[in-house]
Structure formats: structure tokens, C-alpha cells
Amino acid sequence: PLAPSAEREAGFAAVVELLRAADAAIGNLETAIAALDAPGLVSWGVPDDWAVRAEPSVADDLATLGFDAFALANNHAMDWGVAGMRETRRLLSAAGLVHAGAGRDLAAAARPAFVETPAGRVGLVSATTSPSPVDVAPALEAFHGVPPRPGVHALRVQTTVAASADRLGWLRDLRGKAPDLST
């Protein structure tokens, strides 16, 4: 737990004070929260990456620190499979923390969540992007008898680079002058 560190570390205490004073403190949860012996928990880590996980007590600790809500759509949301994502959502809810960005299907993963504050209602939509669907395990709707797939709210993106004709010519000239570094 990090909350007790605020008693010993002045800098950390100042951050906690800011979180607790905010109308709504929202974070990005770059981990699953689940016990290693949770039913169905299986590491889904992708090659050359870590399957990150936090102990169940972390959900209550995050609430104690002053957080109100968490975005879940990111590259580590599914590190421990569907069971890890479900357990994370369950533990956050039990701690009174709002969350968005992961769910039983695309509609649930894309659904906004709301934090009610004295200053007004705050909406949270969480989405992630990746050039590779392998990295993020996107949720899908049911299709022709195939059940929906739990996962994250993932947006497909395609990078497009635009250059004026004179700049494109300059880049082509530069490419021709560059040394061959492949040897």
C-alpha cells in the first residue's frame, strides 16, 4: 500500500493532498488487479512485454489516495486474460472507484462512466490505440452466432504523413544522400 507513505514522504503527501482535494481524480490503470490464485487467471502477456499485476488491496489503496475513477483501456488491461480484467473491474467497483474502457463486449467497453461530484457530473470515456490488435485485445460484439469477446475499447488507427511537393522532393534528395547503414 502506498497511502501510508504519505506520512513519511512530504512530496508524496503533497500529491495525495492534490488528489484528495480534486473534484474528480482520474487515473490510467496500467495493470490488472487480482490475486494470483483468482479463478481463471492466466497470463496473456505478449512477447517482449511484462504481464503486470497488483494485489487486490491496491484497489482500496487507490481509493484511500483520493482517486475517483480509472481508465482501463490500455496495453496492460488484458495481461491476465478475461478473468483478470473482470476481477480488476470487480475490485475497483467494490472500492467505490468508477472505471471505463474494458468490458464483456464492445458496447460495455466503450460505455462512458460517470463520477458525481458536488461541482457536477464528470464523464469518462477510455479508449486505446495500437497498430497491432495483439497488443491490446479489443472487445468485440457478437456476430452471426459467435459470442461477444471481452476486452478493451480499442480504436484502430492508421498513420498518414502528408508533405508538400517541395518538401517531398527535399526528402527524396536527402534519402539519396544518406549513407547505407545496413552493413
Side-chain angles (χ1 to χ4, degrees):
L2 292 174
S5 299
E7 296 170 15
R8 298 182 306 275
E9 302 289 333
F12 187 65
V15 171
V16 172
E17 187 178 321
L18 287 172
L19 290 171
R20 291 177 179 166
D23 290 331
I26 301 171
N28 178 44
L29 190 69
E30 281 277 337
T31 191
I33 301 176
L36 276 175
D37 61 354
L41 199 69
V42 177
S43 173
W44 274 17
V46 296
D48 300 322
D49 201 359
W50 293 95
V52 294
R53 182 194 62 85
E55 289 295 321
S57 62
V58 166
D60 288 326
D61 192 50
L62 292 169
T64 299
L65 289 170
F67 283 100
D68 298 294
F70 282 95
L72 300 181
N74 60 60
N75 61 316
H76 289 290
M78 300 299 289
D79 277 2
W80 291 91
V82 173
M85 180 267 298
R86 286 181 177 147
E87 185 67 357
T88 300
R89 294 177 72 231
R90 185 187 73 75
L91 289 165
L92 290 173
S93 293
L97 297 168
V98 170
H99 47 85
R104 69 181 178 282
D105 55 25
L106 181 57
R111 187 172 297 125
F114 299 94
V115 177
E116 302 295 339
T117 77
R121 187 177 214 199
V122 177
L124 171 64
V125 175
S126 175
T128 186
T129 61
S130 175
S132 168
V134 174
D135 293 342
V136 295
L140 296 174
E141 293 299 344
F143 181 73
H144 291 283
V146 176
R149 180 173 69 194
V152 298
H153 182 205
L155 303 176
R156 288 189 170 84
V157 296
Q158 180 178 346
T159 302
T160 303
V161 178
S164 63
D166 63 325
R167 184 59 69 184
L168 189 57
W170 179 84
L171 288 170
R172 284 186 180 129
D173 289 344
L174 184 62
R175 181 179 62 190
K177 295 175 185 174
D180 182 5
L181 301 176
S182 64
T183 57

Coordinates of all heavy atoms in Angstrom, one line a residue, residues 11 13 19 22 35 64 67 70-71 75 84 89 120 124 130 135 137 149 158 172-173:
G11 N 6.8 15.0 -0.2 CA 6.5 15.2 -1.6 C 5.3 14.3 -2.0 O 4.4 14.8 -2.7
A13 N 3.1 13.2 0.1 CA 1.9 13.7 0.8 C 1.3 14.9 0.1 O 0.1 15.0 0.0 CB 2.3 14.1 2.2
L19 N -4.7 15.0 -5.0 CA -5.7 14.0 -5.4 C -7.0 14.2 -4.6 O -8.1 14.2 -5.1 CB -5.2 12.6 -5.3 CG -4.1 12.2 -6.3 CD1 -3.4 10.9 -5.9 CD2 -4.6 12.2 -7.7
A22 N -9.1 17.3 -5.3 CA -9.7 17.5 -6.6 C -11.2 17.1 -6.6 O -11.7 16.3 -5.9 CB -9.0 16.5 -7.6
A35 N -5.7 -11.4 -7.4 CA -4.8 -12.3 -6.6 C -4.3 -13.4 -7.6 O -5.1 -13.7 -8.6 CB -5.6 -13.0 -5.5
T64 N -8.2 5.3 -1.1 CA -7.6 6.0 0.0 C -6.7 7.2 -0.4 O -6.8 8.2 0.2 CB -6.8 5.1 0.9 OG1 -7.7 4.0 1.4 CG2 -6.2 5.8 2.1
F67 N -8.2 8.8 -5.5 CA -8.7 8.6 -6.8 C -10.2 8.4 -6.8 O -10.7 7.8 -5.8 CB -8.0 7.4 -7.5 CG -6.6 7.8 -8.0 CD1 -5.5 7.4 -7.2 CD2 -6.4 8.5 -9.2 CE1 -4.2 7.7 -7.7 CE2 -5.2 8.8 -9.6 CZ -4.1 8.4 -8.8
F70 N -10.9 5.4 -13.0 CA -9.8 4.9 -13.7 C -10.2 4.5 -15.1 O -11.2 3.9 -15.4 CB -9.1 3.7 -13.1 CG -8.3 4.1 -11.9 CD1 -8.8 4.1 -10.6 CD2 -7.0 4.5 -12.1 CE1 -8.0 4.4 -9.5 CE2 -6.2 4.9 -11.0 CZ -6.7 4.9 -9.8
A71 N -9.3 4.9 -16.1 CA -9.4 4.5 -17.5 C -8.7 3.1 -17.5 O -7.6 3.0 -17.0 CB -8.7 5.5 -18.4
N75 N -2.7 -1.1 -23.0 CA -2.0 -2.3 -23.4 C -1.8 -3.3 -22.3 O -1.4 -4.5 -22.5 CB -0.6 -2.0 -24.1 CG 0.3 -1.3 -23.1 OD1 -0.1 -0.4 -22.4 ND2 1.6 -1.7 -23.1
G84 N -8.7 -11.7 -15.3 CA -8.0 -10.6 -14.7 C -8.7 -9.3 -14.9 O -8.8 -8.5 -14.0
R89 N -12.2 -5.0 -12.6 CA -13.4 -4.2 -12.6 C -14.2 -4.5 -11.3 O -14.7 -3.5 -10.7 CB -14.2 -4.6 -13.8 CG -13.6 -4.1 -15.1 CD -14.4 -4.5 -16.3 NE -15.5 -3.7 -16.4 CZ -16.8 -4.1 -16.6 NH1 -17.0 -5.4 -16.7 NH2 -17.8 -3.3 -16.6
G120 N -20.4 18.9 -10.1 CA -21.1 18.5 -11.3 C -20.7 17.1 -11.6 O -19.9 16.4 -10.9
L124 N -16.3 9.9 -18.1 CA -15.1 9.3 -18.5 C -15.3 8.3 -19.6 O -16.1 7.4 -19.5 CB -14.4 8.6 -17.3 CG -13.2 7.7 -17.5 CD1 -12.0 8.5 -18.1 CD2 -12.8 6.9 -16.3
S130 N -3.6 1.1 -31.0 CA -2.4 0.3 -31.2 C -2.3 -0.1 -32.6 O -3.4 -0.4 -33.2 CB -2.3 -0.9 -30.3 OG -1.2 -1.7 -30.6
D135 N -1.6 -6.4 -29.3 CA -1.1 -5.7 -28.1 C -2.2 -5.3 -27.1 O -1.9 -5.1 -25.9 CB -0.4 -4.4 -28.5 CG 0.9 -4.7 -29.2 OD1 1.4 -5.8 -29.1 OD2 1.4 -3.8 -29.9
A137 N -6.0 -6.6 -27.2 CA -7.1 -7.5 -27.0 C -8.4 -6.7 -27.0 O -9.1 -6.6 -26.0 CB -7.0 -8.3 -25.7
R149 N -16.7 -10.9 -27.5 CA -15.4 -11.1 -26.9 C -15.1 -10.0 -25.9 O -15.2 -8.8 -26.3 CB -14.3 -11.1 -28.0 CG -12.9 -11.3 -27.3 CD -11.8 -11.5 -28.3 NE -11.6 -10.3 -29.0 CZ -10.8 -10.2 -30.1 NH1 -10.4 -11.3 -30.7 NH2 -10.6 -9.1 -30.7
Q158 N -4.5 4.5 -38.3 CA -3.6 4.4 -39.4 C -2.8 5.7 -39.6 O -3.4 6.8 -39.7 CB -4.3 4.1 -40.7 CG -3.4 3.9 -41.9 CD -4.1 3.6 -43.2 OE1 -5.3 3.2 -43.2 NE2 -3.4 3.7 -44.3
R172 N 13.3 13.1 -50.7 CA 13.8 12.2 -51.7 C 15.3 12.4 -51.9 O 16.1 11.5 -52.0 CB 13.0 12.2 -53.0 CG 11.7 11.6 -52.9 CD 11.0 11.5 -54.2 NE 9.7 10.9 -54.1 CZ 8.6 11.4 -54.6 NH1 8.6 12.5 -55.2 NH2 7.5 10.7 -54.4
D173 N 15.7 13.7 -52.0 CA 17.1 14.1 -52.2 C 17.9 13.6 -51.0 O 19.0 13.1 -51.1 CB 17.2 15.6 -52.4 CG 16.7 16.0 -53.8 OD1 16.5 15.2 -54.7 OD2 16.5 17.3 -54.0

